[in-house]
Amino acid sequence: MLKEGEIRVLALGIICDSRDRVFLSQGFDPDKKENFYRAMGGGVEFGETSEAALKREFYEEIQAELTNIKYLGCLESIFTFNGKQGHEILFIYECDFVDHKFYQLESINFNEKKRQKTALWVEIKKFKLGELKLVPEEFLTFL
């Protein structure tokens, strides 16, 4: 949830497969009435490293363990969602699933707090061609 005046610190994981697809969470902005896609992960808690947060969030959301975790960089994102301004610092990691069953699934439904969400494999070229929206847009440089 966005809280006014708060800067959120998040850890997000990029997981790609051998078919040039990336595993992302699908979202919808009701104010803009548009779908978007974002890397999975979540908030870093006080006293927790961003890598530990990444592992915890993937396990909490889809019961997935991660391996081959490599830090790629950091992004700052200032955006509008549902009519409210947001500000995030994003620690970006490249990683793989431990359990190869996740590479066979087309999508996974999960709950994030009270919201039902879907994570799925999406062809990277769809973002590069502008067919789908990836947020933040600067995330494309890591794909």
Side-chain angles (χ1 to χ4, degrees):
M1 295 295 278
L2 295 176
K3 292 181 185 173
E4 191 173 336
E6 179 181 284
I7 299 174
R8 293 184 64 211
V9 178
L10 303 171
L12 303 178
I14 297 174
I15 301 176
C16 294
D17 70 3
S18 60
R19 298 177 10 203
D20 292 325
R21 301 182 307 169
V22 61
F23 192 75
L24 302 168
S25 177
Q26 184 178 36
F28 180 76
D29 186 326
D31 190 59
K32 298 174 187 171
K33 297 186 181 9
E34 69 179 7
N35 290 309
F36 62 89
Y37 297 84
R38 179 178 177 142
M40 287 193 63
V44 178
E45 296 177 358
F46 183 80
E48 179 180 49
T49 67
S50 59
E51 184 175 331
L54 178 72
K55 291 176 183 179
R56 177 183 49 76
E57 288 286 345
F58 265 83
Y59 194 79
E60 286 177 359
E61 292 176 352
I62 61 170
Q63 291 71 55
E65 293 181 6
L66 301 175
T67 189
N68 303 323
I69 300 169
K70 178 184 169 195
Y71 176 74
L72 296 178
C74 188
L75 283 177
E76 183 171 19
S77 177
I78 299 173
F79 59 95
T80 302
F81 174 76
N82 201 18
K84 296 180 182 175
Q85 185 172 20
H87 189 166
E88 298 173 333
I89 305 297
L90 310 171
F91 288 92
I92 312 298
Y93 290 89
E94 177 180 68
C95 49
D96 295 313
F97 288 117
V98 170
D99 190 336
H100 288 276
K101 77 175 183 184
F102 288 100
Y103 294 99
Q104 310 306 316
L105 301 171
E106 286 301 314
S107 65
I108 300 172
N109 292 318
F110 66 97
N111 292 314
E112 184 181 65
K113 296 188 171 110
K114 295 181 181 178
R115 295 177 292 176
Q116 177 74 16
K117 299 190 85 176
T118 301
L120 65 160
W121 291 100
V122 183
E123 293 178 38
I124 295 169
K125 70 179 180 182
K126 291 188 177 193
F127 299 111
K128 293 183 177 179
L129 294 172
E131 294 175 16
L132 297 175
K133 182 176 182 167
L134 182 66
V135 295
E137 288 181 23
E138 298 85 4
F139 210 80
L140 268 175
T141 60
F142 294 103
L143 298 179

